[in-house]
Amino acid sequence: MEEIILMSDPRVAAVPVVECGEPLVDVRDAGTLLVHLRKQDPVHAFAHLREGVLERLLRAQRELPRGVRLMFIEGFRPPALQQRYFTEYADRLRAEHPGWPAERIRSAASRYVSPPEIAPHSAGAAVDVTLADHAWNELDLGTRVNASPEESEGACYTGAANIGGTARANREVLCGALTAAGLVNYPTEWWHWSFGDRYWALSTGAATARYGPTALPAAAG
């Protein structure tokens, strides 16, 4: 098995960001993605991505077999919300493992929620996505989107062995289309893909990341 580099790895934070200034755009305006509302927020931040990420997501959509669609779950996540998610999960791990030192808590938490200072979602660079049919029925990918390592017994890892054949085949379809479009996967979360962020840069050998933390346009929502 290849080494899994976690978001908390210092090599990720060491990647410099050269912000390209590309705007956040509303994925609903594209009209071709299934956009689920389970992560909807009052200002619809969830439905936004950097323009270049959306372009690649639409490219991946065109690579899918007939009758299969990408279902968009979440894109941009404001930094304050990212901080809340990370703190809540780290606190849960701390309560369950009181003997763990702070660095181990941080590393374990980053399997599931990125540390806020380097979070791809807060750069508008990451998308949580699954597969569905045209009737909005989600396909079997082994776990629900956003299943934790504890809940899923590690089946949330993209290369997990403890999933069925149908789920494995569907993951291969998802991974094939998104990889061909230039996105990279976070291997502890089969649903998490990104482009242009620090994790993408480290994974692809790019010298710099294109996107740093950003904010929702004032007129969004």
Side-chain angles (χ1 to χ4, degrees), residues 93-113:
L93 291 173
R94 195 173 293 109
E96 293 173 352
H97 306 281
W100 283 7
E103 189 50 43
R104 185 171 181 183
I105 293 292
R106 175 181 165 83
S107 177
S110 75
R111 298 169 305 160
Y112 184 54
V113 186

Side-chain angles (χ1 to χ4, degrees), residues 2 6 17 23-24 38 47 57 63 67 73 86 95 97 116 130 137 139 143 153 163 185 187 210 212 218:
E2 293 185 7
L6 296 176
V17 177
L24 286 170
R38 72 186 71 169
L57 203 59
E63 294 292 324
I73 306 297
F86 186 81
H97 306 281
T130 188
N137 299 305
L139 304 189
T143 74
E153 297 182 338
I163 61 173
N185 174 242
R210 300 180 57 178

Side-chain angles (χ1 to χ4, degrees), residues 64 131 141 158 163 165-179 193:
L64 294 175
L131 296 176
L141 279 100
T158 307
I163 61 173
T166 298
R168 170 57 54 206
N170 286 335
R171 287 192 187 186
E172 288 176 357
V173 169
L174 181 70
C175 291
L178 291 166
T179 300
W193 294 79

Side-chain angles (χ1 to χ4, degrees), residues 72-89:
F72 177 97
I73 306 297
E74 185 180 19
F76 177 63
R77 190 180 295 159
L81 181 59
Q82 183 72 29
Q83 178 69 64
R84 194 188 93 197
Y85 284 168
F86 186 81
T87 299
E88 288 175 350
Y89 186 54

Side-chain angles (χ1 to χ4, degrees), residues 7-22:
M7 288 286 183
S8 59
D9 193 300
R11 288 174 289 180
V12 180
V15 174
V17 177
V18 179
E19 174 60 55
C20 68
E22 197 174 281

